Amino acid sequence: MQLVNIKVQQKANLFLVLFAVLVAVYLHYQHQKSDQRHQPNGHAHPKNPTTATLNNANTNMFNNFLSPDPALPVPSSSEIEAEERVFNKSVRAFNKYATHSLAAIAKKRKDYNSARTNLRNLVPKTELDSGKDVFEKRLEDVESCIKRNQEVVRSMVVAMGADPDSLDVPQGRRVAGRPNPDSVVMDGDMDKVRSTLRQFVRDWSAEGAAERHDTYSPIMETLERIYSHLPISERGGITVLVPGAGLGRLAFDIVRQGFTTQGNEFSFYMLIASNFVLNSMKTPNSFTIYPWVHSFSNMQNAEHQLRSVQIPDIAPGGIPETADFSMVAGDFLEVYGGYKERGAWDVLVSCYFIDTAKNIFEYLGVIWNALKPGGVWINHGPLLYHFEGMKNEMSIELNLEEVKAVAKNMGFIFEEERMIPSTYTSNENSMLKYIYNCAFWVARKPSL
Amino acid sequence: MQLVNIKVQQKANLFLVLFAVLVAVYLHYQHQKSDQRHQPNGHAHPKNPTTATLNNANTNMFNNFLSPDPALPVPSSSEIEAEERVFNKSVRAFNKYATHSLAAIAKKRKDYNSARTNLRNLVPKTELDSGKDVFEKRLEDVESCIKRNQEVVRSMVVAMGADPDSLDVPQGRRVAGRPNPDSVVMDGDMDKVRSTLRQFVRDWSAEGAAERHDTYSPIMETLERIYSHLPISERGGITVLVPGAGLGRLAFDIVRQGFTTQGNEFSFYMLIASNFVLNSMKTPNSFTIYPWVHSFSNMQNAEHQLRSVQIPDIAPGGIPETADFSMVAGDFLEVYGGYKERGAWDVLVSCYFIDTAKNIFEYLGVIWNALKPGGVWINHGPLLYHFEGMKNEMSIELNLEEVKAVAKNMGFIFEEERMIPSTYTSNENSMLKYIYNCAFWVARKPSL
């Protein structure tokens, strides 16, 4: 039995989604016959919306912070083509992972061999293979790990229904005489594939348990506290939105506690990977990845670099029948910025998410809009604004005090505020670690 | 009285130094009349070299790991011109600091003003200036800080004897039809200027005391332990080399303990700044910088971003009359790779240095070569190989075990090995911190 259905569904009236963004990954484990709950030509919204959320008269509660014209236009064919190019480029980046990564190792071997022999002879020989030294052996082992990673990466592409052998780089429409950047796989795209491997450790491995504890537990504990009066089997009417869902573990943990949960994710890399883990992984520890092989810096020994990680730590099943689980692809502002999403959600959980905004004001407005009166916003994360310093992108970087002040002036009542140290896809063995001092808060939109 | 003399001296026979690298910053506080100790046409070497270091017959002890022809050619006029361009580009980067940084703030203001008014109106107003909100006020304050930083930056350029008003960007010789990269100030060059400001915090402010304690104290304690039998006044014959000296604090701390100390630094940015602090700063807290104003991410409040730092925490004086202090500009391999540097040093301290190598083998060979028999190598730092992943640069990334194995096979006897967590130019208030798990060791070259 397939764990989760994947649907491609036209929703242009609701948000500016184009072909590939339309790959809305509806995950309804044990709910495959419940499609009637999703509007066929509309956005998959939680079941049982309360009538309170449809109160158009209450403009202060909803419309105030929405952009003037949330009814977005139907995408043109050229826009759809552009989205197809971006999706296909992501697929090609996955497909080129091994080729690209092995080329980097080949360069390292060339550099190594260019060192003077009398110095290289100081590197210890391997015991079993007397002709090689331990560095040469390490390069070979890294190459083997890359090839094994590629097998997993290929499975992801196949699970997405895409072509795992497309390696060509069509130039697409040329922009200002240059190849369309949507069409050419760049180093940055390959970084995203490697980053995806590390995300598996964070979300779906035993090694990631400590990081998940630091990051997800405060959120889960808050949900349990707020809804302690409801047994898991009676939480299906409580709707939780998780924008920036990544590989889906947090959303999955939430739905397992009985809440009807929807993840939202913009990145095709994340969507391809989350589809894989949620749809294709039937048993724990069924896949092996080598997430740390690519970085040769700050390594104490070969074992740290070559360390394998088993995924998933748990099979992504066991969702209560009373809860609904969906994943929606697309830009947060476009998907949830419209009138139809007004007051649709009891809880919005933003975890390492709000700093992905180009315009943090618009994020806050959509968060406010999407919540029901009395709804709860749980935030956890740093303020590493993703677009800061990018020349051709807008970026507004409010500091933490300012973000909270704007939210409070919108009307949010802050019930809890604290700082929590945590890490993000951290390699516990690296000689360099990134420690985030995250802002955690629980804020409530007033009741009507 | 000028604290330190700056000399420009031709040393082409010793190492491949060109005009600007020749700006050897000889620091001999209270030793201005002792120039006879420096060979006029040679490399400034420590006084009282032991005759043991000149034993040419002992090739295993010295020549084994040196490149075949350490006698480097006299630089050509075009090479000298190229170095002049690099030096002048560094000066222009310092001079353009405010212009460049203010342009970045102007973009932020433009982005902010493009946000919808009803959302921006949620940002609290300032109390004193009712027309502005706290974000707009923050932008203005940051601009003021940048202008005050520029005054300090200008002082650095003036102290170096360079033109603080040169802002033009001559194209220089064109390479493959494009402006010579040595001539054009790039974003990366401006990053180095901003990084220089943060280095002042690490090396010369009270705020940096904890970081210096983590990083420099294990080194200082090792020196004190090894030379506890000598009072400070009798350590002038002990020679300590500090490659990658940066802003010079570690080298300065060492010379204050009576050791004859030489710093070596490749970066013109660091050299311009170290010259400034060591030559121009006569009294503690005589300059104010704002090192954290440039990053708008991961800030909790305006105070953290606008925080001023006083430099220096101590006036760089108080060097014992018995000790000699010098700073030499240039590439470590070129300056110390020759026969003349064989066995010149009792101690070599590499602190956050060995990972600047393109070819770590050559670094290790030169470290071995430069030490006297019985000399001590103290290392502290991570392995963040600076050239990893650069397409047009060689990079050999041995891991920690491999580095130590090569050093041991060279002949080093490791007397102490441990890992020490520390930070590097860390902003204690940032919501993102980088923690290094540094490799510390004390290794001895065997006596004859």
Side-chain angles (χ1 to χ4, degrees):
Chain A
M1 182 183 85
Q2 190 184 5
L3 195 62
V4 182
N5 284 335
I6 302 171
K7 293 205 172 182
V8 180
Q9 194 169 341
Q10 191 73 29
K11 295 185 210 149
N13 286 335
L14 188 65
F15 56 98
L16 185 63
V17 283
L18 309 170
F19 165 75
V21 180
L22 285 173
V23 182
V25 187
Y26 293 116
L27 310 173
H28 20 203
Y29 178 70
Q30 296 176 339
H31 290 277
Q32 296 182 38
K33 295 175 184 171
S34 64
D35 283 352
Q36 65 279 8
R37 278 187 284 194
H38 301 287
Q39 298 175 342
N41 289 313
H43 174 57
H45 68 69
K47 59 190 177 184
N48 307 325
T50 67
T51 52
T53 68
L54 302 175
N55 180 355
N56 285 323
N58 187 3
T59 52
N60 281 338
M61 196 53 92
F62 294 116
N63 294 347
N64 219 18
F65 309 125
L66 286 188
S67 82
D69 182 12
L72 291 157
V74 175
S76 68
S77 60
S78 69
E79 287 170 324
I80 292 174
E81 280 174 27
E83 278 298 324
E84 283 181 359
R85 277 202 301 276
V86 175
F87 176 76
N88 289 332
K89 187 172 80 157
S90 306
V91 169
R92 286 199 308 277
F94 277 103
N95 293 346
K96 287 180 71 174
Y97 158 77
T99 307
H100 191 277
S101 299
L102 292 173
I105 304 304
K107 178 189 176 295
K108 290 180 194 294
R109 180 174 286 113
K110 180 167 164 282
D111 288 349
Y112 185 73
N113 287 334
S114 74
R116 288 186 290 124
T117 310
N118 66 325
L119 291 168
R120 274 191 286 124
N121 283 343
L122 298 168
V123 177
K125 301 297 179 199
T126 53
E127 288 181 16
L128 296 176
D129 196 347
S130 61
K132 289 177 192 124
D133 66 40
V134 295
F135 184 81
E136 292 168 325
K137 177 69 165 55
R138 182 153 67 100
L139 289 179
E140 287 187 4
D141 289 343
V142 166
E143 287 170 328
S144 297
C145 292
I146 289 169
K147 288 171 188 169
R148 294 185 65 179
N149 279 344
Q150 182 71 67
E151 292 172 23
V152 180
V153 165
R154 183 183 176 92
S155 301
M156 291 187 216
V157 172
V158 170
M160 200 69 184
D163 177 4
D165 297 307
S166 75
L167 288 168
D168 59 308
V169 183
Q171 295 209 329
R173 298 184 184 194
R174 294 178 76 84
V175 176
R178 298 184 177 197
N180 190 317
D182 289 350
S183 298
V184 182
V185 175
M186 314 287 279
D187 285 354
D189 302 310
M190 297 310 304
D191 286 343
K192 288 174 187 166
V193 176
R194 290 189 282 265
S195 163
T196 302
L197 290 173
R198 293 193 297 271
Q199 294 272 350
F200 276 110
V201 184
R202 173 178 176 81
D203 262 17
W204 295 102
S205 81
E207 283 81 350
E211 193 167 293
R212 290 195 300 275
H213 176 79
D214 292 343
T215 312
Y216 298 158
S217 291
I219 295 165
M220 299 307 298
E221 288 161 8
T222 300
L223 287 170
E224 290 302 321
R225 178 174 55 74
I226 295 174
Y227 294 102
S228 60
H229 59 289
L230 290 177
I232 288 178
S233 61
E234 293 177 21
R235 292 173 179 171
I238 309 296
T239 56
V240 181
L241 177 61
V242 185
L247 295 204
R249 179 57 177 266
L250 176 59
F252 173 75
D253 283 352
I254 292 171
V255 75
R256 275 208 306 173
Q257 294 306 309
F259 303 99
T260 282
T261 307
Q262 184 165 99
N264 165 239
E265 176 57 52
F266 178 73
S267 162
F268 286 129
Y269 297 90
M270 292 296 111
L271 286 163
I272 290 170
S274 63
N275 172 62
F276 175 60
V277 69
L278 293 165
N279 276 326
S280 299
M281 296 192 178
K282 310 293 186 190
T283 50
N285 304 323
S286 50
F287 291 86
T288 301
I289 59 173
Y290 302 86
W292 315 118
V293 289
H294 307 101
S295 175
F296 279 63
S297 278
N298 286 317
M299 287 287 169
Q300 292 194 46
N301 56 47
E303 291 67 39
H304 288 173
Q305 184 174 9
L306 301 168
R307 189 163 56 98
S308 66
V309 172
Q310 308 295 314
I311 54 172
D313 59 319
I314 55 169
I319 297 174
E321 294 207 11
T322 48
D324 203 26
F325 188 21
S326 56
M327 287 278 280
V328 171
D331 178 85
F332 175 64
L333 296 184
E334 293 170 353
V335 178
Y336 302 97
Y339 284 116
K340 289 195 179 177
E341 287 291 330
R342 285 186 314 180
W345 303 95
D346 291 293
V347 181
L348 187 145
V349 174
S350 54
C351 181
Y352 280 74
F353 174 69
I354 62 173
D355 52 6
T356 66
K358 294 179 185 178
N359 182 338
I360 182 83
F361 289 116
E362 299 291 344
Y363 266 38
L364 296 175
V366 170
I367 290 170
W368 174 268
N369 176 66
L371 282 169
K372 293 179 187 175
V376 171
W377 174 25
I378 305 172
N379 182 75
H380 192 193
L383 288 175
L384 182 61
Y385 286 103
H386 287 29
F387 292 92
E388 181 177 11
M390 289 197 189
K391 285 190 173 167
N392 300 315
E393 299 282 4
M394 175 193 209
S395 181
I396 297 175
E397 302 106 8
L398 300 186
N399 65 30
L400 181 56
E401 269 189 11
E402 292 160 352
V403 169
K404 288 182 180 176
V406 169
K408 287 170 186 174
N409 286 338
M410 276 184 163
F412 277 113
I413 311 296
F414 277 63
E415 299 182 345
E416 187 178 349
E417 299 175 63
R418 56 188 165 118
M419 305 299 290
I420 301 177
S422 61
T423 57
Y424 193 88
T425 66
S426 185
N427 179 0
E428 62 179 342
N429 291 314
S430 173
M431 295 165 74
L432 170 57
K433 291 203 182 91
Y434 305 81
I435 311 289
Y436 291 95
N437 192 23
C438 289
F440 178 83
W441 65 73
V442 180
R444 195 178 289 272
K445 184 173 176 174
S447 300
L448 286 175
Chain B
M1 183 181 85
Q2 190 183 7
L3 196 61
V4 182
N5 285 335
I6 302 172
K7 294 206 172 182
V8 179
Q9 195 167 342
Q10 189 73 28
K11 293 184 213 152
N13 286 335
L14 189 64
F15 56 97
L16 184 63
V17 284
L18 309 169
F19 164 75
V21 180
L22 285 173
V23 182
V25 187
Y26 293 115
L27 311 174
H28 21 202
Y29 178 70
Q30 296 176 340
H31 290 278
Q32 296 181 40
K33 294 175 184 171
S34 65
D35 282 351
Q36 65 278 7
R37 279 186 284 191
H38 301 287
Q39 298 175 343
N41 288 313
H43 174 56
H45 67 69
K47 59 190 178 185
N48 306 326
T50 66
T51 51
T53 68
L54 303 175
N55 181 353
N56 284 325
N58 187 1
T59 53
N60 281 339
M61 196 54 91
F62 294 116
N63 294 347
N64 219 16
F65 308 125
L66 286 188
S67 80
D69 182 11
L72 292 156
V74 176
S76 68
S77 61
S78 70
E79 286 170 323
I80 291 174
E81 278 175 27
E83 278 297 325
E84 282 180 1
R85 277 202 301 275
V86 174
F87 176 77
N88 290 332
K89 187 172 79 157
S90 306
V91 170
R92 285 200 306 277
F94 277 102
N95 293 347
K96 287 180 71 172
Y97 159 78
T99 307
H100 191 277
S101 299
L102 291 172
I105 304 305
K107 178 190 176 295
K108 289 180 194 294
R109 179 175 286 115
K110 179 166 165 281
D111 288 348
Y112 185 73
N113 288 335
S114 74
R116 288 186 289 127
T117 310
N118 67 325
L119 291 168
R120 274 191 287 123
N121 283 343
L122 299 168
V123 177
K125 301 295 179 200
T126 53
E127 289 182 16
L128 296 176
D129 195 348
S130 61
K132 288 178 194 123
D133 66 40
V134 295
F135 185 81
E136 292 167 326
K137 177 70 164 55
R138 182 153 67 99
L139 288 180
E140 287 187 3
D141 289 343
V142 166
E143 287 170 330
S144 298
C145 292
I146 289 169
K147 288 171 186 167
R148 294 185 66 180
N149 279 344
Q150 182 71 67
E151 293 171 22
V152 180
V153 166
R154 184 183 176 92
S155 301
M156 291 187 218
V157 173
V158 170
M160 200 69 184
D163 178 5
D165 296 307
S166 75
L167 288 168
D168 60 308
V169 182
Q171 296 210 328
R173 297 180 185 196
R174 293 177 77 82
V175 175
R178 297 185 178 195
N180 190 319
D182 290 349
S183 298
V184 181
V185 175
M186 314 286 279
D187 286 352
D189 301 311
M190 297 311 304
D191 286 342
K192 288 176 187 167
V193 176
R194 291 189 281 264
S195 163
T196 302
L197 290 172
R198 293 194 297 272
Q199 293 272 349
F200 276 111
V201 184
R202 174 179 176 79
D203 261 17
W204 294 102
S205 82
E207 283 82 349
E211 192 167 293
R212 290 196 299 275
H213 176 79
D214 291 343
T215 311
Y216 299 159
S217 291
I219 295 165
M220 299 308 298
E221 288 161 8
T222 300
L223 287 170
E224 291 302 320
R225 178 175 55 74
I226 294 174
Y227 295 102
S228 60
H229 59 288
L230 289 177
I232 288 177
S233 61
E234 293 177 21
R235 292 172 179 172
I238 308 297
T239 56
V240 180
L241 176 60
V242 185
L247 295 204
R249 180 58 178 267
L250 176 58
F252 173 74
D253 283 352
I254 292 171
V255 76
R256 276 208 307 172
Q257 294 306 308
F259 303 99
T260 283
T261 307
Q262 184 165 98
N264 165 238
E265 177 56 53
F266 178 74
S267 162
F268 286 128
Y269 297 90
M270 293 295 111
L271 286 162
I272 289 171
S274 63
N275 171 63
F276 175 60
V277 69
L278 293 165
N279 275 326
S280 299
M281 295 193 178
K282 312 293 188 192
T283 49
N285 304 324
S286 50
F287 291 86
T288 301
I289 58 174
Y290 302 86
W292 315 116
V293 289
H294 306 100
S295 175
F296 280 63
S297 279
N298 286 317
M299 287 288 169
Q300 292 195 46
N301 56 46
E303 291 67 38
H304 287 173
Q305 185 175 8
L306 301 168
R307 188 164 56 98
S308 66
V309 172
Q310 309 294 316
I311 55 172
D313 60 318
I314 55 169
I319 296 174
E321 294 208 9
T322 48
D324 203 27
F325 188 22
S326 56
M327 287 278 279
V328 172
D331 178 83
F332 175 65
L333 296 183
E334 293 171 352
V335 178
Y336 302 96
Y339 284 116
K340 289 194 179 177
E341 286 292 330
R342 286 185 314 179
W345 304 94
D346 291 293
V347 180
L348 188 145
V349 175
S350 53
C351 181
Y352 280 74
F353 174 69
I354 61 173
D355 51 7
T356 65
K358 294 179 184 176
N359 182 339
I360 182 82
F361 289 116
E362 298 292 343
Y363 266 38
L364 296 176
V366 170
I367 290 171
W368 173 269
N369 177 67
L371 283 169
K372 292 179 187 176
V376 170
W377 175 24
I378 305 173
N379 182 75
H380 193 192
L383 288 176
L384 183 61
Y385 286 103
H386 286 29
F387 291 93
E388 182 177 12
M390 290 196 188
K391 283 189 174 167
N392 300 316
E393 299 282 3
M394 176 193 207
S395 181
I396 297 175
E397 301 106 7
L398 299 185
N399 65 31
L400 181 56
E401 269 189 10
E402 292 161 352
V403 169
K404 288 181 180 177
V406 168
K408 287 169 186 174
N409 285 338
M410 276 184 163
F412 277 112
I413 311 295
F414 276 63
E415 298 181 346
E416 188 179 348
E417 299 175 61
R418 57 188 165 119
M419 305 301 288
I420 301 177
S422 62
T423 58
Y424 193 90
T425 66
S426 185
N427 179 359
E428 62 179 341
N429 291 316
S430 174
M431 294 166 75
L432 170 56
K433 291 202 181 93
Y434 305 82
I435 311 289
Y436 291 96
N437 192 23
C438 290
F440 177 83
W441 65 73
V442 180
R444 195 177 289 272
K445 184 173 177 175
S447 300
L448 288 174

